[in-house]
Amino acid sequence: MMNAETKITAEAQAKEDLYYMVHKGIRFANARMLVAIGQTDPADDAAVDATLARLAEHLEISRSHLEHENSAIHTAIEARCPGGSDHASEDHGEHLNSFEELARLAEDVASATIDRAAKLRRLYQRFALFVADDFAHMHEEETELQPLIEKHFSAEEIAGIHQRIVQNIPPMKMAKFLRFMLGGASPAERIGMLTGMQTGMPADIFNGMMEAVTGAKWRMGDWDALERAVC
């Protein structure tokens, strides 16, 4: 009887979702970035410069996320299920084109004079289209690729894929990802995420990471301060 129960528990072991939490963060950041571009006063040089700098950082993180999926997730899928990631890879190619176009439109805004308002509007509209495409793309990954991964990979293998992604992200870039993810997470998800990180990291590394995320010294358990910093 105990053997049967043990077997059932093992077979029912939950498998890590490689997409959901990071996608929540990207959706959150995409929405805030779109609003920020739309609210920017084209006559305010400092505001325009700040928005364009924020957009450049946003596109950098988005590109990094795409590269992580290509190198770690798509490679694993193709090794075990050839063709399984083809459509997602095509979407990623379109995303790369979008990043280049958005960067050019941002340069147009930066160099504009009397027509800055029109060029800022063009950037806003193009970014809105990118966000719409990205939302649809992430939904497909969560509802089609994640089940495919769960079907063909064990819980340990999926955890290994995630670990390889995390290990290849430099600390300062990880802090930027965490700002997205913690901002988009529910309070319970934030607690679970940071409790796990604190357990698995040296205290000085964890504290330094959180200081980079919040912009100030942060005490574990001060969830209100965290929400103010990331939301």
Side-chain angles (χ1 to χ4, degrees):
M1 187 66 172
M2 289 184 63
N3 288 340
E5 289 176 352
T6 301
K7 182 179 180 181
I8 291 170
T9 301
E11 290 177 347
Q13 182 180 6
K15 295 184 177 180
E16 183 172 1
D17 192 322
L18 294 174
Y19 294 107
Y20 184 61
M21 288 307 300
V22 68
H23 279 181
K24 283 190 76 175
I26 291 172
R27 288 183 179 101
F28 169 78
N30 274 344
R32 293 191 72 175
M33 190 72 250
L34 179 63
V35 171
I37 297 171
Q39 291 179 335
T40 300
D41 181 355
D44 186 332
D45 291 345
V48 170
D49 289 346
T51 296
L52 295 182
R54 181 175 167 185
L55 176 61
E57 183 173 279
H58 182 91
L59 295 178
E60 175 196 347
I61 295 297
S62 297
R63 183 187 293 272
S64 293
H65 171 66
L66 181 153
E67 291 170 351
H68 299 157
E69 290 186 343
N70 284 347
S71 62
I73 300 178
H74 291 188
T75 300
I77 291 172
E78 290 304 311
R80 198 159 295 183
C81 186
S85 66
D86 281 356
H87 189 257
S89 294
E90 291 173 5
D91 283 353
H92 282 186
E94 293 175 4
H95 279 18
L96 290 173
N97 292 335
S98 293
F99 297 154
E100 296 299 327
E101 185 178 355
L102 287 164
R104 289 195 299 271
L105 291 173
E107 290 173 3
D108 289 346
V109 173
S111 62
T113 53
I114 58 173
D115 59 345
R116 181 189 276 172
K119 290 184 175 179
L120 186 60
R121 178 176 178 174
R122 193 171 303 125
L123 174 63
Y124 170 78
Q125 291 172 325
R126 182 62 183 87
F127 188 75
L129 287 177
F130 164 72
V131 170
D133 288 341
D134 199 25
F135 281 4
H137 169 71
M138 289 189 287
H139 178 75
E140 179 178 311
E141 288 180 325
E142 291 169 12
T143 59
E144 296 184 18
L145 281 191
Q146 179 62 30
L148 186 67
I149 292 166
E150 292 179 7
K151 179 179 179 180
H152 292 281
F153 293 84
S154 68
E156 292 76 14
E157 288 172 326
I158 295 173
I161 293 171
H162 179 252
Q163 191 61 29
R164 286 192 291 277
I165 293 172
V166 171
Q167 288 174 341
N168 286 317
I169 301 176
M172 293 311 297
K173 184 162 285 187
M174 178 60 78
K176 294 176 182 178
F177 271 107
L178 277 175
R179 282 192 65 86
F180 283 13
M181 294 170 69
L182 292 169
S186 70
E189 288 167 340
R190 289 184 199 128
I191 293 171
M193 190 185 308
L194 292 183
T195 299
M197 289 178 60
Q198 185 187 44
T199 301
M201 297 172 67
D204 59 331
I205 301 297
F206 176 78
N207 291 336
M209 179 79 68
M210 291 308 300
E211 185 172 350
V213 169
T214 62
K217 296 288 185 182
W218 182 75
R219 177 179 56 81
M220 183 67 175
D222 192 349
W223 307 115
D224 289 341
L226 177 62
E227 184 166 352
R228 289 194 296 272
V230 300
C231 296

